[in-house]
Amino acid sequence: MEGEKKNESSAASASAIKIEKVKVMALEPVTIGKNIEYTSTLKAFEEVHLVPSTPGRIEKIYVEVGSRVSKGDVLVQMDQTQLRQAIIQLQTLETDYKRLDTLQKVGSITRQQFDQISAQVEIARNNVEFLKENTRLVAPFGGIISGKYFEDGEMYSGAPNTTAGKAAILSIVQINPLKAIVNIPETYFPAVGEGMKTRVLSDLYRDQEYAGQIMRKYPTIDPNTHSFQAEIRIENPGEKLRPGMFCRVELGFGEIEALVVPALAVLKMQGSNERYIFLADQGKAKRVSVTIGQRFDDKVEIISNELKVGDQLIIAGQSRLVDQVPVEIVIE
């Protein structure tokens, strides 16, 4: 009697297990262009914070924030008192030099005296040139004035006063071209090189893409993230893009064989970024964690070492499944 009851109980338990009906497709590789997208923030191609070499009074600032300047334009005129004094001192020394040169030729003074005045003249000339360069600040490249921190007549002290933590009277940026720095997994280190073409996209201008080119690959791998950095030069016709904007940089690595499946077949664990699929394996649902690759409209590339060609991917009914639940394949 007890054996009969156990058999009846087992039969009842077996009948209580629900068999889920599912639809499947066989995993087959397809050839795709391997394009990887990275996010970054646009930066000025060049940015300089202009300062004189020594503190002093600002005589005149010729530009405002937003002013466009060309290379060599005079932007700031500093007080010229020291320059004028240095010029007068140089003129005096040059007069003495000419007089002593005549005396040295006729042997009235020693060679040492003449060498001393020659050195003094050279020092005075260098001082005048130095002050000329530092009493007039000129644009080192064509760009736009992005910051103005003083007004005419104020004293420049040399104290840091910019968001970059540097001292400046003016800041100038070059916005065409721009640049961006992206972090790329170390797996692609051999495939990335200087001159490699990229596509740059902005969510602000969805109907336009911008041409980019890798101009610098950093030589080291970050041991924490196992990634390396690459610097992208981005052409900016029309100057719609600006430093600080968010952008997406797409790198192409040629054609590869990949597993591309309907996006609805890939599930996401609630509260995390883990993605997974179900396979129909010997009458049961087998859960497999995957990584998402490229997206193609309603399909996605999936990546996992547990997948192989011919596996039966469940593409309908998967939302009801748990690992190892019995399944029945429905064929339409």
Side-chain angles (χ1 to χ4, degrees):
M1 294 292 292
E2 290 183 4
E4 291 179 2
K5 288 182 179 180
K6 286 182 180 178
N7 290 336
E8 289 175 1
S9 176
S10 298
S13 298
S15 63
I17 298 175
K18 184 179 180 181
I19 299 177
E20 298 289 351
K21 296 183 183 296
V22 297
K23 295 179 182 178
V24 300
M25 65 169 280
L27 289 179
E28 296 291 342
V30 297
T31 301
I32 63 171
K34 187 62 175 178
N35 298 318
I36 309 286
E37 188 175 275
Y38 303 96
T39 59
S40 186
T41 300
L42 295 172
K43 299 177 180 293
F45 192 74
E46 290 191 71
E47 180 174 13
V48 171
H49 303 289
L50 293 173
V51 294
S53 60
T54 57
R57 188 178 68 85
I58 300 168
E59 192 172 291
K60 181 69 176 177
I61 300 176
Y62 297 102
V63 291
E64 297 292 338
V65 172
S67 297
R68 291 183 177 271
V69 297
S70 299
K71 183 177 179 179
D73 286 353
V74 178
L75 308 180
V76 180
Q77 178 66 62
M78 301 296 292
D79 181 78
Q80 300 181 72
T81 301
Q82 285 184 301
L83 174 60
R84 295 189 185 103
Q85 291 173 348
I87 291 173
I88 292 171
Q89 183 183 19
L90 174 60
Q91 291 172 342
T92 301
L93 287 171
E94 286 178 336
T95 300
D96 291 342
Y97 174 84
K98 291 176 182 177
R99 180 171 55 83
L100 292 179
D101 182 47
T102 302
L103 294 175
Q104 186 264 341
K105 288 177 180 178
V106 297
S108 298
I109 62 170
T110 65
R111 181 70 187 182
Q112 182 180 11
Q113 289 176 301
F114 181 73
D115 289 344
Q116 286 177 345
I117 190 65
S118 297
Q120 290 174 5
V121 169
E122 187 63 26
I123 291 171
R125 282 175 180 164
N126 290 337
N127 188 39
V128 168
E129 291 303 316
F130 173 79
L131 290 172
K132 282 182 178 179
E133 289 180 5
N134 286 278
T135 53
R136 292 199 316 164
L137 303 184
V138 300
F141 52 80
I144 297 177
I145 303 300
S146 60
K148 178 183 177 184
Y149 311 103
F150 291 90
E151 298 297 334
D152 296 353
E154 291 186 325
M155 287 292 297
Y156 165 70
S157 64
N161 59 348
T162 67
T163 55
K166 299 179 180 180
I169 295 175
L170 297 172
S171 295
I172 177 174
V173 296
Q174 184 178 12
I175 65 172
N176 186 20
L178 290 166
K179 67 180 179 181
I181 296 175
V182 295
N183 295 298
I184 304 173
E186 64 179 9
T187 307
Y188 297 105
F189 189 82
V192 173
E194 294 181 6
M196 185 175 180
K197 304 294 184 181
T198 70
R199 293 172 66 238
V200 180
L201 306 171
S202 168
D203 290 342
L204 196 59
Y205 305 110
R206 295 179 181 273
D207 60 339
Q208 189 170 354
E209 66 178 54
Y210 295 84
Q213 185 177 30
I214 293 179
M215 63 177 182
R216 189 172 292 111
K217 180 175 80 170
Y218 289 32
T220 57
I221 306 294
D222 187 326
N224 297 316
T225 61
H226 293 284
S227 64
F228 66 96
Q229 291 187 320
E231 205 165 312
I232 315 293
R233 175 191 171 105
I234 302 165
E235 302 304 325
N236 188 21
E239 298 184 352
K240 289 183 178 180
L241 300 178
R242 294 301 170 103
M245 283 184 178
F246 174 83
C247 72
R248 290 176 283 120
V249 178
E250 187 180 276
L251 300 181
F253 294 98
E255 293 186 339
I256 63 167
E257 295 289 306
L259 298 175
V260 178
V261 304
L264 291 175
V266 182
L267 304 174
K268 180 181 178 182
M269 179 177 286
Q270 191 171 3
S272 76
N273 285 323
E274 182 183 349
R275 307 298 177 101
Y276 61 95
I277 61 169
F278 282 106
L279 300 178
D281 183 30
Q282 298 182 1
K284 294 183 179 180
K286 178 183 177 181
R287 174 174 163 155
V288 177
S289 295
V290 297
T291 300
I292 298 296
Q294 289 180 245
R295 297 180 181 272
F296 306 91
D297 298 326
D298 60 344
K299 295 184 178 182
V300 294
E301 175 194 4
I302 56 173
I303 304 167
S304 173
N305 292 329
E306 296 183 54
L307 299 177
K308 62 183 184 297
V309 175
D311 280 345
Q312 299 294 300
L313 171 69
I314 297 175
I315 58 173
Q318 68 273 17
S319 60
R320 303 188 303 270
L321 302 180
V322 294
D323 195 33
Q324 296 304 308
V325 70
V327 295
E328 178 186 344
I329 297 175
V330 176
I331 301 177
E332 288 185 346

mmCIF file of all heavy atoms in Angstrom, residues 136-157:
data_model
loop_
_atom_site.group_PDB
_atom_site.id
_atom_site.type_symbol
_atom_site.label_atom_id
_atom_site.label_comp_id
_atom_site.label_asym_id
_atom_site.label_seq_id
_atom_site.Cartn_x
_atom_site.Cartn_y
_atom_site.Cartn_z
ATOM 1 N N ARG A 136 53.407 92.426 -24.877
ATOM 2 C CA ARG A 136 52.349 92.235 -25.871
ATOM 3 C C ARG A 136 52.046 90.750 -25.963
ATOM 4 O O ARG A 136 52.911 89.965 -26.335
ATOM 5 C CB ARG A 136 52.771 92.762 -27.241
ATOM 6 C CG ARG A 136 52.912 94.262 -27.337
ATOM 7 C CD ARG A 136 52.870 94.745 -28.767
ATOM 8 N NE ARG A 136 53.677 93.900 -29.662
ATOM 9 C CZ ARG A 136 53.572 93.921 -30.986
ATOM 10 N NH1 ARG A 136 52.685 94.707 -31.559
ATOM 11 N NH2 ARG A 136 54.335 93.149 -31.736
ATOM 12 N N LEU A 137 50.813 90.357 -25.640
ATOM 13 C CA LEU A 137 50.410 88.967 -25.750
ATOM 14 C C LEU A 137 49.700 88.778 -27.080
ATOM 15 O O LEU A 137 48.732 89.475 -27.378
ATOM 16 C CB LEU A 137 49.476 88.581 -24.601
ATOM 17 C CG LEU A 137 50.022 88.795 -23.176
ATOM 18 C CD1 LEU A 137 49.023 88.276 -22.154
ATOM 19 C CD2 LEU A 137 51.372 88.116 -23.005
ATOM 20 N N VAL A 138 50.191 87.834 -27.880
ATOM 21 C CA VAL A 138 49.622 87.598 -29.208
ATOM 22 C C VAL A 138 49.000 86.206 -29.268
ATOM 23 O O VAL A 138 49.347 85.307 -28.491
ATOM 24 C CB VAL A 138 50.690 87.747 -30.306
ATOM 25 C CG1 VAL A 138 51.282 89.144 -30.291
ATOM 26 C CG2 VAL A 138 51.791 86.695 -30.144
ATOM 27 N N ALA A 139 48.072 86.030 -30.197
ATOM 28 C CA ALA A 139 47.387 84.744 -30.360
ATOM 29 C C ALA A 139 48.358 83.715 -30.937
ATOM 30 O O ALA A 139 48.934 83.942 -32.000
ATOM 31 C CB ALA A 139 46.178 84.895 -31.269
ATOM 32 N N PRO A 140 48.547 82.568 -30.264
ATOM 33 C CA PRO A 140 49.463 81.552 -30.786
ATOM 34 C C PRO A 140 48.860 80.736 -31.923
ATOM 35 O O PRO A 140 49.579 80.044 -32.632
ATOM 36 C CB PRO A 140 49.718 80.657 -29.562
ATOM 37 C CG PRO A 140 48.487 80.815 -28.728
ATOM 38 C CD PRO A 140 47.995 82.210 -28.947
ATOM 39 N N PHE A 141 47.537 80.818 -32.089
ATOM 40 C CA PHE A 141 46.838 80.129 -33.175
ATOM 41 C C PHE A 141 45.492 80.804 -33.379
ATOM 42 O O PHE A 141 45.036 81.584 -32.535
ATOM 43 C CB PHE A 141 46.650 78.640 -32.868
ATOM 44 C CG PHE A 141 46.016 78.366 -31.529
ATOM 45 C CD1 PHE A 141 44.645 78.466 -31.332
ATOM 46 C CD2 PHE A 141 46.803 77.998 -30.447
ATOM 47 C CE1 PHE A 141 44.067 78.230 -30.107
ATOM 48 C CE2 PHE A 141 46.228 77.749 -29.203
ATOM 49 C CZ PHE A 141 44.863 77.866 -29.037
ATOM 50 N N GLY A 142 44.859 80.533 -34.511
ATOM 51 C CA GLY A 142 43.535 81.082 -34.759
ATOM 52 C C GLY A 142 42.498 80.374 -33.910
ATOM 53 O O GLY A 142 42.516 79.147 -33.796
ATOM 54 N N GLY A 143 41.591 81.126 -33.318
ATOM 55 C CA GLY A 143 40.576 80.504 -32.462
ATOM 56 C C GLY A 143 39.582 81.513 -31.935
ATOM 57 O O GLY A 143 39.381 82.590 -32.519
ATOM 58 N N ILE A 144 38.968 81.162 -30.810
ATOM 59 C CA ILE A 144 37.947 81.990 -30.186
ATOM 60 C C ILE A 144 38.340 82.248 -28.732
ATOM 61 O O ILE A 144 38.819 81.346 -28.042
ATOM 62 C CB ILE A 144 36.564 81.294 -30.236
ATOM 63 C CG1 ILE A 144 36.123 81.108 -31.692
ATOM 64 C CG2 ILE A 144 35.510 82.104 -29.489
ATOM 65 C CD1 ILE A 144 34.807 80.365 -31.841
ATOM 66 N N ILE A 145 38.133 83.474 -28.283
ATOM 67 C CA ILE A 145 38.395 83.811 -26.880
ATOM 68 C C ILE A 145 37.309 83.175 -26.017
ATOM 69 O O ILE A 145 36.122 83.455 -26.177
ATOM 70 C CB ILE A 145 38.422 85.335 -26.666
ATOM 71 C CG1 ILE A 145 39.478 85.984 -27.567
ATOM 72 C CG2 ILE A 145 38.682 85.661 -25.197
ATOM 73 C CD1 ILE A 145 40.888 85.495 -27.339
ATOM 74 N N SER A 146 37.722 82.288 -25.120
ATOM 75 C CA SER A 146 36.754 81.567 -24.277
ATOM 76 C C SER A 146 36.712 82.077 -22.844
ATOM 77 O O SER A 146 35.821 81.689 -22.077
ATOM 78 C CB SER A 146 37.090 80.068 -24.258
ATOM 79 O OG SER A 146 38.395 79.861 -23.727
ATOM 80 N N GLY A 147 37.644 82.937 -22.487
ATOM 81 C CA GLY A 147 37.639 83.475 -21.126
ATOM 82 C C GLY A 147 38.394 84.793 -21.058
ATOM 83 O O GLY A 147 39.461 84.942 -21.665
ATOM 84 N N LYS A 148 37.827 85.762 -20.328
ATOM 85 C CA LYS A 148 38.491 87.039 -20.074
ATOM 86 C C LYS A 148 38.368 87.307 -18.583
ATOM 87 O O LYS A 148 37.264 87.350 -18.041
ATOM 88 C CB LYS A 148 37.826 88.161 -20.875
ATOM 89 C CG LYS A 148 38.436 89.541 -20.627
ATOM 90 C CD LYS A 148 37.684 90.626 -21.387
ATOM 91 C CE LYS A 148 38.253 92.003 -21.063
ATOM 92 N NZ LYS A 148 37.485 93.078 -21.711
ATOM 93 N N TYR A 149 39.505 87.484 -17.900
ATOM 94 C CA TYR A 149 39.508 87.481 -16.441
ATOM 95 C C TYR A 149 39.914 88.819 -15.827
ATOM 96 O O TYR A 149 39.888 88.950 -14.600
ATOM 97 C CB TYR A 149 40.436 86.376 -15.943
ATOM 98 C CG TYR A 149 40.175 85.054 -16.628
ATOM 99 C CD1 TYR A 149 41.020 84.596 -17.644
ATOM 100 C CD2 TYR A 149 39.066 84.278 -16.314
ATOM 101 C CE1 TYR A 149 40.778 83.396 -18.298
ATOM 102 C CE2 TYR A 149 38.815 83.074 -16.960
ATOM 103 C CZ TYR A 149 39.668 82.637 -17.954
ATOM 104 O OH TYR A 149 39.424 81.466 -18.612
ATOM 105 N N PHE A 150 40.289 89.782 -16.664
ATOM 106 C CA PHE A 150 40.696 91.095 -16.168
ATOM 107 C C PHE A 150 40.126 92.181 -17.076
ATOM 108 O O PHE A 150 39.646 91.908 -18.176
ATOM 109 C CB PHE A 150 42.227 91.227 -16.132
ATOM 110 C CG PHE A 150 42.892 90.370 -15.088
ATOM 111 C CD1 PHE A 150 43.299 89.081 -15.396
ATOM 112 C CD2 PHE A 150 43.113 90.852 -13.806
ATOM 113 C CE1 PHE A 150 43.911 88.282 -14.446
ATOM 114 C CE2 PHE A 150 43.728 90.063 -12.847
ATOM 115 C CZ PHE A 150 44.121 88.778 -13.165
ATOM 116 N N GLU A 151 40.202 93.424 -16.607
ATOM 117 C CA GLU A 151 39.809 94.594 -17.388
ATOM 118 C C GLU A 151 41.001 95.523 -17.528
ATOM 119 O O GLU A 151 42.003 95.391 -16.811
ATOM 120 C CB GLU A 151 38.638 95.329 -16.718
ATOM 121 C CG GLU A 151 37.361 94.517 -16.575
ATOM 122 C CD GLU A 151 36.750 94.110 -17.908
ATOM 123 O OE1 GLU A 151 36.995 94.824 -18.904
ATOM 124 O OE2 GLU A 151 36.055 93.076 -17.959
ATOM 125 N N ASP A 152 40.863 96.500 -18.444
ATOM 126 C CA ASP A 152 41.943 97.468 -18.656
ATOM 127 C C ASP A 152 42.292 98.160 -17.341
ATOM 128 O O ASP A 152 41.410 98.559 -16.577
ATOM 129 C CB ASP A 152 41.511 98.524 -19.676
ATOM 130 C CG ASP A 152 41.258 97.924 -21.053
ATOM 131 O OD1 ASP A 152 41.550 96.729 -21.236
ATOM 132 O OD2 ASP A 152 40.756 98.649 -21.925
ATOM 133 N N GLY A 153 43.603 98.306 -17.099
ATOM 134 C CA GLY A 153 44.067 99.031 -15.919
ATOM 135 C C GLY A 153 44.246 98.174 -14.685
ATOM 136 O O GLY A 153 44.848 98.631 -13.694
ATOM 137 N N GLU A 154 43.757 96.946 -14.695
ATOM 138 C CA GLU A 154 43.899 96.091 -13.515
ATOM 139 C C GLU A 154 45.300 95.487 -13.457
ATOM 140 O O GLU A 154 46.019 95.430 -14.448
ATOM 141 C CB GLU A 154 42.848 94.982 -13.520
ATOM 142 C CG GLU A 154 41.433 95.497 -13.300
ATOM 143 C CD GLU A 154 40.432 94.365 -13.161
ATOM 144 O OE1 GLU A 154 40.592 93.325 -13.837
ATOM 145 O OE2 GLU A 154 39.481 94.521 -12.375
ATOM 146 N N MET A 155 45.652 95.006 -12.257
ATOM 147 C CA MET A 155 46.947 94.376 -12.054
ATOM 148 C C MET A 155 46.820 92.864 -12.215
ATOM 149 O O MET A 155 45.961 92.234 -11.597
ATOM 150 C CB MET A 155 47.482 94.690 -10.651
ATOM 151 C CG MET A 155 47.974 96.107 -10.458
ATOM 152 S SD MET A 155 49.483 96.453 -11.412
ATOM 153 C CE MET A 155 50.646 95.318 -10.667
ATOM 154 N N TYR A 156 47.674 92.330 -13.053
ATOM 155 C CA TYR A 156 47.748 90.872 -13.165
ATOM 156 C C TYR A 156 48.733 90.375 -12.110
ATOM 157 O O TYR A 156 49.899 90.794 -12.083
ATOM 158 C CB TYR A 156 48.223 90.455 -14.560
ATOM 159 C CG TYR A 156 48.667 89.019 -14.615
ATOM 160 C CD1 TYR A 156 47.747 87.983 -14.509
ATOM 161 C CD2 TYR A 156 50.027 88.692 -14.730
ATOM 162 C CE1 TYR A 156 48.152 86.659 -14.524
ATOM 163 C CE2 TYR A 156 50.439 87.366 -14.763
ATOM 164 C CZ TYR A 156 49.505 86.361 -14.647
ATOM 165 O OH TYR A 156 49.911 85.053 -14.650
ATOM 166 N N SER A 157 48.260 89.487 -11.228
ATOM 167 C CA SER A 157 49.071 89.072 -10.079
ATOM 168 C C SER A 157 49.778 87.740 -10.271
ATOM 169 O O SER A 157 50.751 87.445 -9.565
ATOM 170 C CB SER A 157 48.183 88.972 -8.834
ATOM 171 O OG SER A 157 47.211 87.941 -9.008
#
